[in-house]
Amino acid sequence: MEQKRALRGMILTLAGGTMWGFSGTCGQFLMQTKALTSDWLVPIRLFTAGFLLLVICWLKEGKRVMYIWKQDAAGILIFGVCGMSMCQYTYFTAIGASNAGTATVLQYVGPVLIMIYLSLKKRCLPGSNELLAIGLAVTGTFLLATHGNPGTMVLSEKALFWGILSAFALAVYTVQPGSLLETYGSAVVTAWGMLIGGVMLGILFRPWSIPVIVDAEVVTGMAVIILVGTILAFSCYMEGIRCVGPKKGSLYASVEPVSATVFSVLWMHAGFGVMDFLGFVCIISTVFLLAMDKREDKR
C-alpha cells in the first residue's frame, strides 16, 4: 500500500513538473509566433487562473477562503504583488527573450539564492554541499551566457537579465509566504496571489489596450497555459506532495526544466549545444545537492 502511494506521488509530481515545462513552451510559442508579449500574456494568465483556483477553493472550503483578509491582508498583498506577479512576469519575459528551456533553468538558480539568504539570516557558513551548489550555479550560468568564452555573450543581455531576475523573484516567491502557507494552505494562498498579481499587472500594463489578434491558436495556447500549466499542474503537484512529502516532491518536480528544454527543441526547434547542456546539468545539480543537505540537517 505504501509503495502504491509512493508511486502515485512520484507520477503526479513528475506530471506536474512536465506540465509546467510544457506551459512555458506554450508561452514561447505564443510570444515568438503570435507576437504576444509578457505585458499581455501574464496579467491575463494570472487573473484567469487565480479566479478559477479561487472558485475551486470556495467550493471546497466555503467562506474560509476569505479569512486571510481578516488576519493577513498585508502579507497576501505583498505576496501577490512582489512574489507571484514578479515571479511570473520575469519568467515569461525571459522566455520571450530566449526560450522556455533556458529561462526555466536560469530560474532554478533561485534555490541557491534562498540558501544564501538563509545562511546570512542565521549567520552561519554554508556547508560543503551548499558551497558546491553555489559554484555549480555560477558555472552553469556562465556556460549558458558565454559557452565558456568570457569575451563572448551567446545569451542576449536581456535574456540573462530577466532570467537572473526571475531567480531572485522565485526566491522571494518561495520565502515570503511561509507563514501564510502554514496557516491557510497553498491552494488558497496561490489563488489569491495569482488574482492579486493579475489585477496589479493588469492595471500596470492594461492588456486590453494592447493590439492582439486573438485566433484559435492564441485561445488554445492560453487555455493550455491556464488550465493545464497552472490549475492541473498545481493540483497534480500538491496531491503528489501529499503522497511523498515536499522533499521528494520538489526533486521530482525538477523535471520541469528538462521538459521545457525537450519541448523547446522538439516543438520550437530551439538550438542547444554541448555548453548549454553542461550549463543545464550544473544548475539542475544544485537542486539535488541542496536536498542532500536538508536530509543531513534533519538527521
Side-chain angles (χ1 to χ4, degrees):
M1 191 69 179
E2 190 64 30
Q3 289 182 340
K4 288 185 178 180
R5 180 183 175 89
L7 179 62
R8 183 169 183 267
M10 180 184 72
I11 292 173
L12 286 172
T13 47
L14 286 172
T18 301
M19 285 186 281
W20 277 326
F22 182 61
S23 171
T25 310
C26 285
Q28 178 185 344
F29 169 78
L30 292 176
M31 287 188 279
Q32 292 184 359
T33 66
K34 298 297 179 180
L36 298 186
T37 65
S38 52
D39 295 4
W40 185 89
L41 189 152
V42 179
I44 292 176
R45 182 226 179 170
L46 284 181
F47 180 84
T48 307
F51 176 79
L52 293 175
L53 274 175
L54 198 59
V55 170
I56 293 172
C57 291
W58 182 277
L59 293 175
K60 290 183 177 180
E61 302 185 31
K63 294 182 179 179
R64 283 183 293 178
V65 299
M66 302 301 297
Y67 290 173
I68 195 169
W69 290 102
K70 297 179 181 179
Q71 302 171 6
D72 289 293
I76 192 61
L77 283 171
I78 292 172
F79 173 64
V81 173
C82 300
M84 180 65 74
S85 64
M86 291 301 99
C87 184
Q88 293 297 312
Y89 182 77
T90 54
Y91 172 61
F92 276 96
T93 303
I95 289 177
S98 55
N99 57 72
T102 301
T104 307
V105 171
L106 285 174
Q107 193 178 57
Y108 266 67
V109 175
V112 176
L113 298 176
I114 294 171
M115 179 271 296
I116 294 173
Y117 164 76
L118 293 176
S119 295
L120 292 173
K121 184 179 180 181
K122 295 177 181 178
R123 297 182 180 180
C124 63
L125 293 175
S128 57
N129 281 358
E130 293 174 328
L131 289 173
L132 181 57
I134 294 173
L136 285 171
V138 173
T139 301
T141 304
F142 172 74
L143 290 175
L144 284 177
T146 68
H147 282 185
N149 184 354
T152 304
M153 279 292 291
V154 178
L155 195 63
S156 72
E157 293 181 0
K158 182 180 179 181
L160 182 62
F161 171 79
W162 286 106
I164 296 300
L165 197 60
S166 74
F168 278 96
L170 178 67
V172 175
Y173 167 87
T174 304
V175 173
Q176 187 270 335
S179 60
L180 295 176
L181 294 172
E182 291 179 8
T183 305
Y184 306 101
S186 57
V188 172
V189 174
T190 300
W192 279 117
M194 285 184 172
L195 191 63
I196 293 167
V199 171
M200 189 275 290
L201 291 178
I203 294 172
L204 184 62
F205 295 118
R206 298 187 299 168
W208 57 85
S209 66
I210 299 175
V212 172
I213 300 175
V214 181
D215 57 15
E217 289 184 329
V218 170
V219 172
T220 302
M222 290 299 295
V224 170
I225 290 172
I226 293 167
L227 299 177
V228 177
T230 304
I231 296 175
L232 185 57
F234 174 78
S235 300
C236 287
Y237 178 72
M238 294 311 299
E239 178 61 20
I241 288 291
R242 192 179 69 83
C243 295
V244 300
K247 182 169 62 180
K248 287 185 177 179
S250 62
L251 288 176
Y252 293 143
S254 63
V255 73
E256 177 188 357
V258 178
S259 68
T261 301
V262 171
F263 287 128
S264 290
V265 172
L266 297 180
W267 181 12
M268 299 301 296
H269 307 293
F272 292 99
V274 175
M275 288 299 179
D276 295 304
F277 176 75
L278 290 176
F280 287 11
V281 171
C282 285
I283 292 175
I284 301 307
S285 297
T286 64
V287 177
F288 297 90
L289 284 170
L290 295 178
M292 287 171 62
D293 269 346
K294 289 177 183 178
R295 285 194 290 269
E296 291 170 0
D297 290 343
K298 287 185 178 180
R299 289 173 187 170

